[in-house]
Amino acid sequence: MVENRPILNILAHLVLILGVAIVALPVWIALVASTHASNDFLGGVVPMWFGDQAWNNYSRMLGTGISTSGMPPVSWMMFNSLIMALGIAIGKIAISITSAFAIVYFRFPFRMLAFWVIFATLMLPVEVRIVPTFQVVANLGMLNTYPGLIIPLIASATATFLFRQVFLSMPDELTEAARIDGAGPMKFFWDILLPLTRTNIAALFVIMFIYGWNQYLWPLLITTGSDMYTVVAGIKRMSTVADTDPQWNYIMATAVLAMLPPLLVVIFMQRLFVKGLVETEK
Amino acid sequence: MASITLDNVGKVYPGGTRAIGDVNIDIADGEFIVLVGPSGCGKSTLLRMVAGLETITEGQIRIGDRVVNDVEPMDRDIAMVFQNYALYPHMSVRQNLAYGLKNRGTSKADIEKRVAEAAEILQIGPFLDRKPRALSGGQRQRVAMGRAIVREPAAFLFDEPLSNLDAKLRVTMRLEIKELQRRLGTTSIYVTHDQLEAMTLADRLVVLSAGKVEQIGTPLEVYRKPASTFVAGFIGSPAMNLIKASSVPHLPGTAHAGMIGIRPEDLTVSADGPIQMKVAAVEELGAQRLVHGHIGGDAATVTMASDATLSDDLNLTYRPGSLHLFHPETGKRID
Ligand SMILES: Nc1ncnc2c1ncn2[C@@H]1O[C@H](COP(=O)(O)OP(=O)(O)O)[C@@H](O)[C@H]1O
Ligand SMILES: [Mg+2]
C-alpha cells in the first residue's frame, strides 16, 4: 500500500499502539509491581506506577530469597535454569546435527525409515510422553539432577529436519571436492559442514535456549529438592503459598529477572545472525 | 604423471539407467584428451568414474599400472576441476589451495612453497587472502585450477570448467589451460559439449554419443575423416551437410552410400553444378555469408563470399575429394 492520507496514517498508528499496549501491559505491571512493598497489594488494587522498594525487593530475591517458604535465592534458581537451558540448547544442536549428517551423507539400510521415525516424533511433544518419561528418569535415579532436567528434552525432530534441509542444499560438488582433497567423513563434517552451517546453528541456539529456559512442566515434576528448582517453575511455587497471601512484589521481581536471560541471548545473538546473514556464503 | 587406461568400461546407475557402455581408451602419459559429445551422453559419468566419484560397474580403469576400480578418490592421485568451481566458501584462497595438501600431511613449509608457485603460475597472488565470494568468475576458475596444480597429481580431470564464463573469457581461459597443461606435462582428461573448445584443446578427441565411443582421434583426423554420421554432424561449425544419397543420384562413386556428407565450405556455386539447393535464409557474418536451404529433403548450408549474387535456386558443385560417404544402415564411414 502506498496510500498517503493523514487519516489513514493516524489510524494505522493507533492500531499499532493499541497492539503494543496489549502486549506490553502485563510486562509493565510486573515491572511496576516488583518495585512496591508487599502490603501495597493488600487493598486488591494493582499499582500502575513505580514504588520505591525496587532495590530492596531485587536484592532480597537475588540474595537470600523468601527463605520462609523454603525457596532458594533467585540467583541460584537462575543458575539452575541456565544450566538446563544451555544443556538443552547445546544438546539439541549436537544431536540433531549429527543425526542429520548421518541421514544425508551416509547410505545405510533403513536410512529413510530412520528419518521418518525421527520426523514422526514431531507429533509427540514432551507433554504427551511425560508420564513414561518420568518413569524412566525416576528408575534411572535422575530425579533432582541436571541430567534428569536436560536429557529427556534434547532430542529434536524439528532441528534434525532443519539441518537436513541445510545439508541437502549444499552443492554436491563441494562434497566431491572435499573427497578428492582427502577429507574423510569426519574431517568433512568439521572442516566444511560445520563452518558453513554456523549461522543456522546460531539461530537454532537462540530458539532452543529460550525453549529450554521456559521449560515449566518438566522441571516442576522432577525437581523436588529446592536446590534444583529452576526459576520459571520457582515462580509458580512462590505463588502457591499455604497460609498467607502471595507476596506479589517478590514474585514479580522474580518474573522480571526470569525474562532477562532470554532477552540478553536474543540481543547478543542477533548481532551474530545479522553478521552471518550479511556474509552469505552459500 | 601417468598413463590412464579404460578397458571395456561400463556404467549402469542403480536405477537401471545405462550411462556408459563398453568404452576403451588408452591415454598416454602427458596427453590432453577431450571427451566431447552432446549433453547427457555420459561424459561426466565417465570422468567421475576415473575420479572415483562413481562406482565402475563394468570393466577396469588403470592409472599408471594400478587398477583403481576400488581405490578412494583421494588415493587415485588425481585432481579435479568442477564446473561450478566447488571452492570452499568459508576458506580464503590460500586455505582452499592448501586444504588437500594439509589433509595429506604435507609439511607447512612445503605447502607454502607450492601455494606460492601455483599462485605465481596462475597470477592469483593478490587474491590469496580473499574469500572466493570476493572473486570474479574467471578468478574463481583460476583458484579452482590452482587447487588442482598444487597437488602435483598424476592426472587432471576437468568437467566443463569454462561453461560458466562469458564467451570472451572462455576463449582466453581455454588458451591458458592448454598452455598450462603443456608446461606441466600432466595427463589430462577434459569434458566439454562445445566442439570448438574440444578441437582447440585436444591432443586427441573422444567423441561420445549415448554412452558409446563414436570416434577417437586427433582433432584433424576427426574433422577430416568423421567415422560416422553422428561425428560428421557434431564436429565442425557450421555443421557438415548430410544428404540422402538418393537426393543426388548422379554423383559419381556414391552408389553404395546411404548418406553423403559435404562441408559447407566445400560447396561452391556453379551454373552447371550437379547439386540443386533451394535457398530459405541467409546469415551475414561479415567476411562471408551462410546460405541455408534444402538439398532434396535435407537441410543444408553453404558458405559464400559476401559479395556473391544470390538467387532462390542455386546450382552447386563440390571440391573434388571432399565427399564423405556413410553406410546406409550403420551410418559408419565408407572409405
Ligand atoms: N546419479 C544418476 N543416477 C541415474 N542416472 C544418472 C545419474 N547421473 C547421470 N545419469 C544419467 O546418465 C546419463 C549421462 O549423464 P552425464 O554423464 O551427466 O551426461 P553429460 O555429462 O554428458 O551431460 C544421463 O542420461 C543421465 O540422466
Ligand atoms: Mg556433464
Side-chain angles (χ1 to χ4, degrees), chain A residues 69 239-246:
Chain A
S69 60
S239 60
T240 51
V241 282
D243 301 326
T244 55
D245 281 330

Side-chain angles (χ1 to χ4, degrees), chain B residues 37-334:
Chain B
S39 185
C41 70
K43 309 177 295 286
S44 298
T45 303
L46 196 56
L47 190 76
R48 292 159 53 81
M49 286 163 80
V50 177
L53 298 171
E54 295 288 356
T55 53
I56 300 163
T57 52
E58 293 154 18
Q60 201 179 61
I61 295 181
R62 290 192 299 277
I63 298 178
D65 301 327
R66 187 166 62 134
V67 177
V68 294
N69 284 38
D70 298 315
V71 177
E72 278 293 305
M74 64 170 287
D75 300 321
R76 291 194 183 191
D77 200 15
I78 47 97
M80 187 151 167
V81 178
F82 294 87
Q83 178 172 0
N84 297 315
Y85 321 129
L87 301 176
Y88 310 118
H90 58 295
M91 296 186 192
S92 68
V93 169
R94 188 191 302 280
Q95 289 167 323
N96 263 286
L97 297 187
Y99 187 63
L101 296 175
K102 222 173 74 188
N103 289 341
R104 277 176 179 71
T106 314
S107 76
K108 264 219 166 73
D110 202 14
I111 292 179
E112 221 160 275
K113 196 181 108 232
R114 290 208 213 173
V115 169
E117 275 170 17
E120 164 80 32
I121 293 174
L122 293 163
Q123 299 160 351
I124 50 175
F127 322 125
L128 276 180
D129 293 309
R130 283 202 211 162
K131 296 266 176 74
R133 67 169 181 282
L135 301 178
S136 72
Q139 291 163 343
R140 282 180 208 188
Q141 189 54 62
R142 283 216 169 83
V143 176
M145 305 221 318
R147 190 165 64 176
I149 68 176
V150 287
R151 295 255 315 278
E152 298 171 9
F156 292 138
L157 308 178
F158 299 89
D159 193 352
E160 311 217 10
L162 304 183
S163 56
N164 280 354
L165 303 178
D166 61 62
K168 206 168 157 197
L169 202 53
R170 211 149 54 209
V171 173
T172 46
M173 287 300 287
R174 195 163 79 197
L175 292 175
E176 278 186 36
I177 290 182
K178 180 81 183 166
E179 198 193 280
L180 187 68
Q181 196 269 345
R182 280 265 157 75
R183 188 152 129 201
L184 301 174
T186 310
T187 315
S188 300
I189 306 180
Y190 186 106
V191 161
T192 180
H193 64 267
D194 179 343
Q195 58 90 23
L196 187 64
E197 203 169 292
M199 295 283 285
T200 49
L201 281 172
D203 291 333
R204 277 194 303 157
L205 283 176
V206 177
V207 185
L208 287 174
S209 163
K212 295 239 191 284
V213 173
E214 289 279 331
Q215 186 170 9
I216 303 181
T218 65
L220 276 184
E221 277 167 15
V222 173
Y223 183 81
R224 289 191 180 144
K225 295 195 158 205
S228 65
T229 48
F230 174 83
V231 179
F234 191 75
I235 298 291
S237 173
M240 183 188 286
N241 299 310
L242 288 167
I243 297 150
K244 274 189 278 304
S246 55
S247 308
V248 278
H250 37 277
L251 296 189
T254 64
H256 45 293
M259 280 282 184
I260 296 174
I262 317 171
R263 297 219 175 263
E265 53 273 29
D266 290 335
L267 287 168
T268 42
V269 179
S270 141
D272 55 354
I275 304 169
Q276 277 81 43
M277 173 168 159
K278 284 213 176 326
V279 176
V282 178
E283 266 185 288
E284 294 290 354
L285 300 182
Q288 54 179 350
R289 104 179 5 143
L290 294 183
V291 180
H292 301 284
H294 290 90
I295 298 176
D298 299 296
T301 304
V302 188
T303 49
M304 290 167 65
S306 52
D307 52 1
T309 48
L310 277 174
S311 60
D312 284 352
D313 288 287
L314 293 175
N315 280 348
L316 302 171
T317 185
Y318 56 93
R319 194 165 58 76
S322 71
L323 293 189
H324 305 260
L325 307 184
F326 299 100
H327 192 274
E329 273 116 45
T330 60
K332 297 275 181 245
R333 180 181 191 83
I334 309 170

Side-chain angles (χ1 to χ4, degrees), chain A residues 133-184:
Chain A
T133 310
F134 184 86
Q135 186 87 46
V136 171
V137 169
N139 288 344
L140 290 175
M142 294 201 299
L143 296 181
N144 279 317
T145 61
Y146 289 126
L149 275 173
I150 294 166
I151 291 169
L153 299 178
I154 61 172
S156 174
T158 327
T160 308
F161 193 66
L162 183 121
F163 280 123
R164 174 179 175 266
Q165 294 312 108
V166 173
F167 291 167
L168 286 178
S169 73
M170 297 267 170
D172 287 343
E173 289 193 344
L174 215 54
T175 319
E176 290 169 352
R179 267 182 84 190
I180 290 176
D181 265 346

Side-chain angles (χ1 to χ4, degrees), chain A residues 60 71 118 198:
Chain A
R60 165 117 190 251
M71 298 297 291
I118 292 172
R198 66 172 202 278

Side-chain angles (χ1 to χ4, degrees), chain A:
Chain A
M1 286 218 302
V2 279
E3 301 262 0
N4 194 12
R5 275 180 284 173
I7 192 88
L8 278 182
N9 264 339
I10 291 170
L11 201 70
H13 279 94
L14 273 181
V15 171
L16 284 176
I17 288 166
L18 193 71
V20 169
I22 290 173
V23 173
L25 187 67
V27 180
W28 176 255
I29 289 179
L31 211 54
V32 166
S34 69
T35 61
H36 283 269
S38 57
N39 47 15
D40 287 3
F41 300 92
L42 293 180
V45 184
V46 181
M48 289 306 285
W49 195 246
F50 296 104
D52 55 3
Q53 297 297 308
W55 174 251
N56 190 13
N57 291 344
Y58 281 100
S59 58
R60 165 117 190 251
M61 291 317 290
L62 283 172
T64 57
I66 328 176
S67 38
T68 47
S69 60
M71 298 297 291
V74 172
S75 50
W76 180 249
M77 291 197 287
M78 286 176 75
F79 175 73
N80 288 342
S81 282
L82 186 71
I83 300 283
M84 177 176 70
L86 283 177
I88 289 174
I90 294 169
K92 266 184 192 288
I93 288 169
I95 287 192
S96 57
I97 204 169
T98 37
S99 37
F101 180 55
I103 286 170
V104 175
Y105 288 99
F106 292 83
R107 305 273 165 277
F108 53 90
F110 307 118
R111 187 170 123 261
M112 284 323 281
L113 181 72
F115 172 70
W116 286 112
V117 168
I118 292 172
F119 194 68
T121 61
L122 265 180
M123 284 168 270
L124 296 173
V126 184
E127 290 73 13
V128 176
R129 54 188 159 88
I130 204 153
V131 175
T133 310
F134 184 86
Q135 186 87 46
V136 171
V137 169
N139 288 344
L140 290 175
M142 294 201 299
L143 296 181
N144 279 317
T145 61
Y146 289 126
L149 275 173
I150 294 166
I151 291 169
L153 299 178
I154 61 172
S156 174
T158 327
T160 308
F161 193 66
L162 183 121
F163 280 123
R164 174 179 175 266
Q165 294 312 108
V166 173
F167 291 167
L168 286 178
S169 73
M170 297 267 170
D172 287 343
E173 289 193 344
L174 215 54
T175 319
E176 290 169 352
R179 267 182 84 190
I180 290 176
D181 265 346
M186 282 303 130
K187 232 176 162 24
F188 173 68
F189 181 75
W190 284 110
D191 292 350
I192 316 276
L193 227 38
L194 217 51
L196 287 179
T197 38
R198 66 172 202 278
T199 51
N200 304 85
I201 292 175
L204 209 62
F205 180 83
V206 172
I207 296 166
M208 291 309 175
F209 180 88
I210 295 171
Y211 165 87
W213 182 271
N214 288 339
Q215 276 306 308
Y216 168 67
L217 190 56
W218 182 247
L220 199 64
L221 272 182
I222 76 146
T223 57
T224 48
S226 64
D227 59 335
M228 288 304 296
Y229 284 178
T230 62
V231 66
V232 174
I235 295 172
K236 153 81 176 113
R237 285 196 170 92
M238 279 184 215
S239 60
T240 51
V241 282
D243 301 326
T244 55
D245 281 330
Q247 294 175 296
W248 287 115
N249 53 336
Y250 294 140
I251 294 170
M252 288 307 169
T254 311
V256 169
L257 287 171
M259 278 187 272
L260 283 181
L263 201 66
L264 289 178
V265 166
V266 169
I267 290 170
F268 174 71
M269 298 291 279
Q270 200 177 22
R271 285 181 32 223
L272 261 183
F273 266 175
V274 175
K275 188 160 161 264
L277 289 181
V278 172
E279 42 180 73
T280 36
E281 305 195 303
K282 263 176 270 163

